[in-house]
Amino acid sequence: MYSQSFQGTGRLIKLIFRQDGLKIFVWLLALISVSLAAAAAYPTVYTDEQSIQAFALTMNNPAMIAMLGPGYAMENYTTTAVIFGHEMLLFTAIAVAIMNILFVGRSTRADEEDGRIEIIRSLPVGRLSYLSAATIAAVMTNVLLAVLLGGGLYALGIERMDLASSLLYGANLGALGLVFAAFTALFAQLAETSRGATMFSFVALMVAYLVRAVGDVSSETLSFFSPLGWAVRTEVFVGDHWWPVLLSLAIAVVIMVVSFYLNAIRDLGSAFISARKGKEHASPFLQTPFGLNLSLQFTNIAAWAVGIFVISAAFGAVLGDLETYFADMEFIQAYLANDPGETMTEQFIMLLMAIMSMISAIPAVMTVLRLKGEEDKNRTEHFYGRAVSRTKVMGSYLLLAILVSFIMQSLVALGLWSVGTMDDALTFNTAFSSALVYLPAIWIMIGLAVLFVGAAPKATGVVWFYVVFCFIIVYLGGLFDFPAWVNNISSFEHVPLIPAEDIDYMPLTMMTIVSIVFAIIGFIGYNQRDIQG
Amino acid sequence: MSIVEIKGLTKKFGNFTALDNVDLTMNEGEVFGFIGPNGAGKTTTIRVMLGLLKATRGEVRIFGRDAWKDAVELHKRIAFVPGEANLWPNLSGGEVIDLFLKMRGNGSQGRREELIKRFDLDPTKKCGTYSKGNRQKIALIAAFSSDADLYILDEPTSGLDPLMERVFQEYVMEVKAEGKSVFLSSHILSEVEKLCDTIAIIREGKIIETGTLNEMRHLTRTKLTIQTKEPVTLDETKGVHNIEEHDAELSFQVDTEELDEVIRYISQFGIVKLESTSPTLEDLFLRHYEAKETSNGVGGQA
C-alpha cells in the first residue's frame, strides 16, 4: 500500500508551480533584490572603519539585541559585510518565513478545503502525493533562494563576502524557510481551515521571534528554543557557523515526517482540531453589516492584537534597562554628545515605533482587503441580493479598519509603557503620542486599500507592495539614499518623530485629507463598478 | 459479476455516525442510482469508495480489491466527478482537463475534443472565471474522455442547464452501451429514473431500500383518479390512501399489491373515467422520506 503513496508527485509539483509560480517568482525577486541592493549600499554609507565602529556602538545594546539579535565584540566590526549580516538577517528571515507560510498554507489545507485535493485523489495518485508535492515545491523554492541569494552576494565582490559565507547567508534563510514550511504543513494537518493553519503558523513565527528576543537579551539557553535564535547564531560573515543551518534542516525534516504521518492516518477533509459548533441564532449585533464583519474578522484581529501587544511589551521590558546601560558607558556618552538632541533611547523608541506601526498597518489593511476576498468567494452577493447598499458594506469595512488601526497603535503604546521598569525612559504621554501620531500614515494605507478594492479590484496586490515599500524606506531609507521624492511616497516619512521632534500637525492633517480622498475615490468606484460575486 | 461490493460499512466522524452498516452490491454494466436527502451519507459513501475516507468498520471492494489499500491501482479504472468542482483558478479549463487525463494516463485526445464541442465549453478560459455549470463541465469532460471501467458521479449535473443535462445523459447511455458501469448519486429523480437499472435509497446513513425500479414500484402506490355513475365509498377499502374529492372526481392512492382488488370493487359502481399514474421515483422517495419525517435527521456532509 505504501509503495504507491507517492505516485504522481512529479506532475503535482508542476501543477503547484503552474498555479503559484508567479507569486513565488515575485517573492524571490523582491527578497533577493532588496538584499543585494542593501549589501551593495552598505559600503557607500559606511566608508571607513570608524563609521563601521560607530554602527557597532549603536547596535550593541539590549534594545537592538532584542530587535535584531546579538551583536559581536567590537573588534569583529571590520567590514560592511558584518553590518549587513547583523542588520538584514533577522528581518529577511521573517519575510522568508512569511513567504513559506503563505505558500505552503495554500498548497495544503487551502487546496483541500476547496475540494481540489478530492479530485486529485480520485485519480491514480498516492495518498501522500499532494503533501509531498507541496513539500518538494517548498524545498525547491528555498534552495533556489539560498543559491541565488548566496551567489548574488558573492558576485557583488564586497570585502569579506566570500563564496562560503555568502552561501551560508543564503542557506541560513533557506533552512529557516523550510522550518516554517514544515510548521505550516504540520498545522495544515491539525487545523480544519486554511485560515486556521496559516494563523497557527504565524503565531509560531511570532513566538519564535519573542523567545529569541528575550533569550538573546537575558538567557542564551532560551534562544536555543527558537529557530530564529539558531539563525542569528550562524554569526555569518564573522564566525561562519554551519551548525544552525543543519539544526534547522534536521528540525524541518522531523516536523515534516510528523506531518506526513498525520496526513497518512487522517481522513480527507478532517482535522485533529475540529471546528466548534456554532450558535443556533444570530445575535442582534451579528445581524448588521458591521456586526457580521466584526465577528467574521474577530479572531484574526484578536490574534494580531495579542501579538502586537506582546511584542511591544517585550521591547518595553528592555527599554528600562537601556538608559542604565548607556549611563554606564562613558564612551557612548561621548559619542552621543555629537548629537545632543536625541538620546539613544529616543532613537530606539522612534525606530521601534515606526516598525511597530508598520506591523499595525498589516491587520488594518487586511481588514479592508477582506471585502475583496469575500467578493472573490461569491459571498458579497448575499448582501447585494438584499437591501444593503454598497456604501454601507464598504463603510463597515472601513470603519472596522480604522478601529483596528486605533486599537493596534494603542496596544503598541500600552505594551511599551506598561511593562518593565519605567523610570523616566518612557512616560505614558510620550508612549501614546508617539504611537498615535502614526495613525494618519496607517490611514493612508487603509485609504489606498479602499481605493483599490473600490476602483481597481484586480490590482489590490499593489497595496501590499506599498506597505513593503514603506517598510523598506523606514528600515533602509538611510542606507539606500533614494532621492527625496521617492522617500516622500512613503506615508511613514511624513510622521513627526516623537519624542525627539514636536508634533507638527500640518503633515498629519494633510495625510488625513489624502486618505479621505483615497477613500472617497474608492467608494465612488465601488458604487459604480461591477460586483463579481 | 459484481464490481462494487460494500458489506457492513460503518463510518463515524467522532461521535457522529455518518454511515451505519451499509450494504451495497453493484453489478458490471449497470447504471446504479444512489439517492437520498441532503446529509444522508451519499458523498461519504462515495468518498469511502474512492479511498479518501477510511471505513470505521466493514468492507468496501471494487473490482474485487480493497478500496482503501489499492486506491491508486483502482483509480486507474475509475473516473470520478465531484458535486462541486473547485479547480485551480489560475489554470485554464483545457489545462485542467489535460492534467486529469495525463494523471490517469489513458485518456483520448479525440474524445476530449468531441466532448468539449458537445458540452459547448471554451477551454481557454481560466477556471477562476467559469460559472459553476462550466466548472462542472470540465470535470465531466475529463471523466468521460478517460477510458474508465467505472464512473463514479456525485451529483454530476448540479449547475448544468437542461440541454447539457441531456448531453450528460447521452454520455451515460453511451458508456453503458460499451459495457461500463456507472455509479450515479443524484437528487434529480427523473434523471435517475431515466438512466438507472438499480437504485438504492440512503437515509440517515442507512440503506432503506434497494432494487430495480420495477421491484420498487411494487412497494409503492399507484395514483388513481376516477369518476363513477353511482357514488362510491372507499374509506373502508383495504390498501386505499389519501382520498380526495374534487367535484365528482375521486383521487386516491392504492397499494400496488391491492390494485387488482380495488379495481374490481369500483367497477361495480359504473366507471365513467379512470386515470392512472404510475408511481414515480419521487413518490417513492417522498413516501420513505415522509414516513420518517417525525424523527429529525441530522445532516452530515453534503
Side-chain angles (χ1 to χ4, degrees):
Chain A
M1 146 187 197
Y2 289 107
S3 63
Q4 291 198 317
S5 294
F6 298 96
Q7 187 142 335
T9 304
R11 267 190 228 295
L12 291 176
I13 296 172
K14 266 194 229 159
L15 169 69
I16 287 173
F17 276 119
R18 182 74 187 74
Q19 173 69 18
D20 281 343
L22 184 67
K23 274 194 180 137
I24 294 174
F25 175 76
V26 171
W27 266 98
L28 289 184
L29 188 72
L31 282 168
I32 291 170
S33 55
V34 170
S35 294
L36 293 186
Y42 277 106
T44 64
V45 176
Y46 302 96
T47 45
D48 52 17
E49 191 138 327
Q50 205 180 357
S51 57
I52 294 174
Q53 291 278 319
F55 168 86
L57 274 181
T58 62
M59 283 307 192
N60 272 331
N61 62 68
M64 291 315 282
I65 288 171
M67 193 184 271
L68 292 175
Y72 310 106
M74 287 301 283
E75 65 266 22
N76 287 320
Y77 288 90
T78 49
T79 64
T80 55
V82 184
I83 301 185
F84 172 77
H86 188 139
E87 202 170 30
M88 291 296 290
L89 179 64
L90 201 57
F91 276 98
T92 315
I94 291 169
V96 172
I98 292 172
M99 171 183 80
N100 275 280
I101 291 170
L102 295 176
F103 173 57
V104 176
R106 264 174 71 89
S107 51
T108 52
R109 186 49 86 166
D111 280 341
E112 184 165 344
E113 192 177 54
D114 287 347
R116 289 186 276 267
I117 294 186
E118 181 186 19
I119 303 188
I120 287 292
R121 284 267 302 274
S122 78
L123 301 167
V125 164
R127 202 154 275 138
L128 297 173
S129 301
Y130 212 91
L131 182 58
S132 3
T135 309
I136 294 170
V139 170
M140 287 164 76
T141 306
N142 286 295
V143 167
L144 203 64
L145 171 73
V147 172
L148 290 180
L149 184 51
L153 287 176
Y154 172 64
L156 290 175
I158 291 165
E159 189 190 353
R160 190 58 183 83
M161 283 197 182
D162 46 80
L163 186 59
S165 304
S166 301
L167 284 179
L168 173 62
Y169 185 84
N172 199 7
L173 292 173
L176 190 100
L178 280 178
V179 171
F180 283 94
F183 266 122
T184 314
L186 175 68
F187 290 128
Q189 313 308 317
L190 299 180
E192 200 162 31
T193 62
S194 61
R195 201 173 278 273
T198 40
M199 200 151 78
F200 280 133
S201 312
F202 278 120
V203 169
L205 175 61
M206 198 195 82
V207 170
Y209 184 79
L210 279 175
V211 167
R212 181 214 53 79
V214 175
D216 284 353
V217 172
S218 55
S219 133
E220 184 93 345
T221 334
L222 191 58
S223 289
F224 280 91
F225 288 97
S226 162
L228 291 169
W230 313 331
V232 292
R233 274 164 187 74
T234 45
E235 298 189 3
V236 62
F237 304 121
V238 178
D240 283 342
H241 305 306
W242 277 87
W243 64 262
V245 176
L246 301 177
L247 182 60
S248 291
L249 290 178
I251 289 293
V253 169
V254 170
I255 302 172
M256 270 300 173
V257 169
V258 175
S259 319
F260 273 86
Y261 173 72
L262 293 177
N263 192 252
I265 61 167
R266 76 180 173 88
D267 283 333
L268 184 79
S270 73
F272 292 92
I273 305 169
S274 299
R276 285 166 299 166
K277 281 212 166 189
K279 293 194 184 77
E280 191 174 351
H281 289 287
S283 65
F285 180 62
L286 185 67
Q287 293 172 23
T288 63
F290 182 78
L292 171 67
N293 190 6
L294 177 60
S295 16
L296 289 177
Q297 305 209 46
F298 183 78
T299 323
N300 196 29
I301 293 170
W304 277 94
V306 171
I308 282 175
F309 179 78
V310 173
I311 293 177
S312 305
F315 282 118
V318 291
L319 265 189
D321 304 335
L322 208 54
E323 289 288 284
T324 348
Y325 178 84
F326 289 134
D328 291 347
M329 299 179 81
E330 277 172 30
F331 68 100
I332 290 191
Q333 294 296 321
Y335 169 69
L336 284 176
N338 300 334
D339 198 357
E342 306 169 7
T343 69
M344 207 72 153
T345 316
E346 280 181 345
Q347 264 186 9
F348 176 73
I349 290 174
M350 290 183 301
L351 176 63
L352 185 65
M353 277 302 175
I355 290 177
M356 290 309 297
S357 307
M358 219 63 237
I359 299 176
S360 293
I362 297 171
V365 168
M366 278 170 84
T367 304
V368 177
L369 293 187
R370 178 75 186 262
L371 178 57
K372 174 73 173 35
E374 292 288 297
E375 183 178 343
D376 288 344
K377 296 248 175 193
N378 290 342
R379 287 195 288 250
T380 45
E381 62 187 15
H382 298 300
F383 283 124
Y384 301 130
R386 294 174 173 78
V388 182
S389 78
R390 295 181 181 194
T391 306
K392 195 167 183 184
V393 171
M394 190 177 237
S396 81
Y397 281 83
L398 174 60
L399 183 64
L400 186 60
I402 291 170
L403 206 65
V404 166
S405 69
F406 188 79
I407 293 170
M408 298 298 162
Q409 285 304 86
S410 305
L411 287 173
V412 169
L414 206 62
L416 274 172
W417 171 79
S418 64
V419 182
T421 51
M422 247 62 69
D423 298 336
D424 296 325
L426 190 64
T427 63
F428 183 80
N429 268 341
T430 318
F432 267 84
S433 54
S434 60
L436 296 186
V437 79
Y438 274 96
L439 282 177
I442 297 175
W443 293 340
I444 293 245
M445 292 173 178
I446 295 176
L448 206 60
V450 172
L451 186 147
F452 274 99
V453 172
K458 288 213 169 86
T460 44
V462 173
V463 182
W464 290 124
F465 272 107
Y466 182 70
V467 173
V468 170
F469 168 79
C470 289
F471 184 82
I472 290 173
I473 297 291
V474 163
Y475 194 63
L476 299 171
L479 179 66
F480 284 139
D481 202 20
F482 290 124
W485 65 268
V486 174
N487 284 340
N488 285 339
I489 296 174
S490 163
S491 60
F492 277 54
E493 278 298 292
H494 306 283
V495 177
L497 296 168
I498 296 177
E501 294 173 12
D502 290 330
I503 299 186
D504 180 356
Y505 288 98
M506 188 59 194
L508 298 181
T509 318
M510 285 307 290
M511 280 198 282
T512 310
I513 291 171
V514 170
S515 46
I516 291 171
V517 170
F518 281 167
I520 289 172
I521 297 173
F523 273 91
I524 293 172
Y526 195 64
N527 272 298
Q528 289 178 345
R529 77 169 169 91
D530 296 341
I531 296 285
Q532 298 302 329
Chain B
M1 198 192 115
S2 62
I3 53 166
V4 177
E5 241 179 303
I6 300 179
K7 278 186 205 147
L9 170 62
T10 297
K11 177 66 196 175
K12 288 187 176 187
F13 295 111
N15 292 326
F16 173 68
T17 306
L19 296 178
D20 187 4
N21 216 11
V22 166
D23 291 309
L24 268 186
T25 311
M26 176 181 169
N27 294 318
E28 193 173 355
E30 202 171 57
V31 179
F32 190 95
F34 195 46
I35 58 179
N38 292 329
K42 297 189 296 295
T43 300
T44 306
T45 308
I46 286 178
R47 287 188 173 169
V48 176
M49 285 167 65
L50 286 169
L52 303 179
L53 303 180
K54 195 173 184 178
T56 311
R57 266 196 309 280
E59 201 183 9
V60 180
R61 303 191 80 81
I62 299 178
F63 303 124
R65 303 174 75 162
D66 189 289
W68 174 261
K69 284 186 190 144
D70 298 324
V72 175
E73 274 309 308
L74 281 175
H75 292 178
K76 290 178 184 165
R77 302 176 64 188
I78 296 174
F80 168 64
V81 176
E84 194 164 343
N86 267 312
L87 304 164
W88 293 264
N90 285 355
L91 269 61
S92 74
E95 282 180 308
V96 170
I97 295 169
D98 285 346
L99 176 89
F100 287 169
L101 286 181
K102 228 175 207 168
M103 293 195 90
R104 177 170 288 108
N106 58 9
S108 138
Q109 277 298 316
R111 233 174 122 74
R112 170 193 187 270
E113 300 310 321
E114 179 204 315
L115 276 148
I116 286 177
K117 222 177 207 168
R118 290 288 302 281
F119 276 110
D120 195 22
L121 179 86
D122 176 0
T124 58
K125 277 171 75 175
K126 292 274 176 84
C127 289
T129 62
Y130 281 121
S131 69
K132 177 173 162 55
N134 278 325
R135 286 201 307 267
Q136 203 61 33
K137 286 181 193 172
I138 294 171
L140 284 168
I141 292 169
F144 282 118
S145 52
S146 56
D147 182 24
D149 295 320
L150 171 61
Y151 294 82
I152 297 179
L153 314 173
D154 188 3
E155 293 174 32
T157 51
S158 56
L160 288 191
D161 64 52
L163 212 65
M164 292 303 134
E165 230 177 282
R166 213 161 70 196
V167 175
F168 161 76
Q169 290 171 6
E170 283 166 22
Y171 276 102
V172 172
M173 296 301 202
E174 197 181 310
V175 295
K176 190 193 170 187
E178 290 166 12
K180 292 163 177 182
S181 319
V182 180
F183 187 94
L184 173 66
S185 149
S186 180
H187 274 308
I188 303 167
L189 299 171
S190 61
E191 180 178 280
V192 174
E193 214 166 3
K194 203 185 283 177
L195 296 173
C196 297
D197 309 299
T198 313
I199 290 162
I201 302 178
I202 187 169
R203 207 188 123 75
E204 287 174 30
K206 288 180 189 148
I207 301 288
I208 49 173
E209 205 72 75
T210 179
T212 64
L213 198 56
N214 272 340
E215 279 166 15
M216 282 199 188
R217 284 205 170 114
H218 287 293
L219 299 170
T220 187
R221 298 164 185 166
T222 304
K223 194 175 174 191
L224 291 182
T225 307
I226 59 164
Q227 207 177 337
T228 45
K229 286 180 189 151
E230 297 161 43
V232 54
T233 13
L234 288 165
D235 294 344
E236 301 294 312
T237 319
K238 196 181 160 206
V240 173
H241 311 268
N242 299 6
I243 306 165
E244 280 171 51
E245 225 179 315
H246 321 271
D247 304 327
E249 285 187 3
L250 209 58
S251 306
F252 51 90
Q253 294 178 352
V254 185
D255 287 339
T256 307
E257 58 261 43
E258 300 294 334
L259 195 58
D260 190 42
E261 278 301 312
V262 173
I263 298 283
R264 272 174 213 275
Y265 173 70
I266 55 172
S267 64
Q268 302 165 24
F269 299 89
I271 298 174
V272 178
K273 179 185 168 190
L274 173 70
E275 278 176 17
S276 134
T277 325
S278 71
T280 60
L281 191 55
E282 191 168 333
D283 296 327
L284 204 116
F285 185 73
L286 288 178
R287 199 184 138 194
H288 278 294
Y289 194 63
E290 282 161 356
K292 298 196 181 172
E293 202 153 59
T294 38
S295 63
N296 242 330
V298 183
Q301 282 156 310

